[in-house]
Amino acid sequence: MKLEIDDSVLVRDYISGDEKALEILINRHNQRITSFIYSKVLDRDITEDIFQDTFIKVIKTLKRGSYSEEGKFLPWVMRIAHNLIIDHFRKNKRMPKFEGSDDFNIFAVIGDDKLNAERQIIKDQIDSDLGVLIEELPEDQKEVLVMRIYRDMSFKEISENTGVSINTALGRMRYALINLRKIINKHNIVLTS
């Protein structure tokens, strides 16, 4: 029977210069992390890119010596992957993709209503302003708020993806909303259309 070396020992070994320790960590968690990423992006190539970017960040953090073994290694890596997934959606949300077909009508997409276009500009501005405000939130609150509002995830899913209890996720959401209101009031911002 083969004994499995604990993640924290492998992390320590890697930081001490043992490259093989990182290889063991990657192989150990490859399937779980890849499945998690794929479940969000539903594209093999993007999954591969995000997986690689995740471990580039892991390596940089470990080499910098800024990794602290507060929790477990896997939830930490999953959090990095999750943040990169959010970044991916953020970057690509402004590029709509239309599937071409024989019955596709470009005019149904464009529309010809000036008032509608004006409303859309106002909505886009509000979305942009809100995005800036959300960036001011503490990382843990921002993460929960983005998952809940923009990804439409349940608190159970948020709990599973962040490695915290449902009550903690609910609390972070509550504080995110309270802090957003404070930021809005502090800057006298009006977010209405």
Side-chain angles (χ1 to χ4, degrees):
M1 189 170 120
K2 192 177 175 185
L3 256 127
E4 192 172 276
I5 303 167
D6 193 56
D7 285 354
S8 58
V9 173
L10 290 168
V11 167
R12 203 170 41 247
D13 289 351
Y14 175 71
I15 291 170
S16 301
D18 181 4
E19 298 287 327
K20 187 83 176 144
L22 182 69
E23 186 182 332
I24 294 167
L25 282 167
I26 292 172
N27 290 335
R28 178 179 293 171
H29 300 299
N30 183 333
Q31 183 62 47
R32 182 128 182 242
I33 297 165
T34 302
S35 298
F36 167 72
I37 297 168
Y38 184 78
S39 74
K40 306 298 176 220
V41 299
L42 303 173
D43 181 290
R44 289 274 171 224
D45 293 332
I46 294 170
T47 297
E48 238 174 76
D49 290 346
I50 292 175
F51 181 85
Q52 288 175 3
D53 290 345
T54 299
F55 273 93
I56 288 169
K57 277 196 174 220
V58 166
I59 290 166
K60 284 180 179 174
T61 304
L62 292 175
K63 291 216 184 246
R64 255 194 332 258
S66 45
Y67 172 72
S68 60
E69 185 68 49
E70 291 167 10
K72 298 256 184 247
F73 176 76
L74 182 61
W76 174 65
V77 175
M78 296 289 262
R79 207 169 316 117
I80 292 171
H82 179 263
N83 289 340
L84 289 170
I85 291 166
I86 290 172
D87 291 346
H88 163 75
F89 282 113
R90 234 183 242 144
K91 269 191 282 189
N92 294 301
K93 98 174 180 189
R94 296 186 192 273
M95 297 173 1
K97 295 182 178 98
F98 298 109
E99 296 294 322
S101 66
D102 294 338
D103 60 348
F104 177 75
N105 180 359
I106 188 68
F107 297 106
V109 175
I110 296 173
D112 192 27
D113 186 352
K114 286 182 182 152
L115 186 59
N116 205 12
E118 192 174 314
R119 281 192 184 137
Q120 186 60 48
I121 290 168
I122 293 168
K123 183 192 177 306
D124 289 347
Q125 184 60 52
I126 290 170
D127 288 348
S128 172
D129 292 346
L130 195 54
V132 170
L133 298 176
I134 290 169
E135 285 301 315
E136 289 190 37
L137 291 173
E139 197 59 42
D140 57 346
Q141 294 173 18
K142 178 173 40 174
E143 178 182 41
V144 171
L145 184 127
V146 167
M147 290 172 136
R148 183 75 180 138
I149 304 298
Y150 293 101
R151 299 297 316 282
D152 199 28
M153 295 171 76
S154 70
F155 283 104
K156 183 178 187 301
E157 291 170 316
I158 292 170
S159 162
E160 291 167 356
N161 283 301
T162 58
V164 299
S165 71
I166 292 174
N167 283 339
T168 300
L170 284 164
R172 287 179 181 175
M173 183 66 181
R174 180 174 171 268
Y175 284 116
L177 294 173
I178 289 169
N179 286 330
L180 265 181
R181 283 188 198 103
K182 285 179 185 173
I183 294 166
I184 288 168
N185 289 335
K186 183 175 95 180
H187 297 296
N188 282 330
I189 297 170
V190 178
L191 293 174
T192 57
S193 53

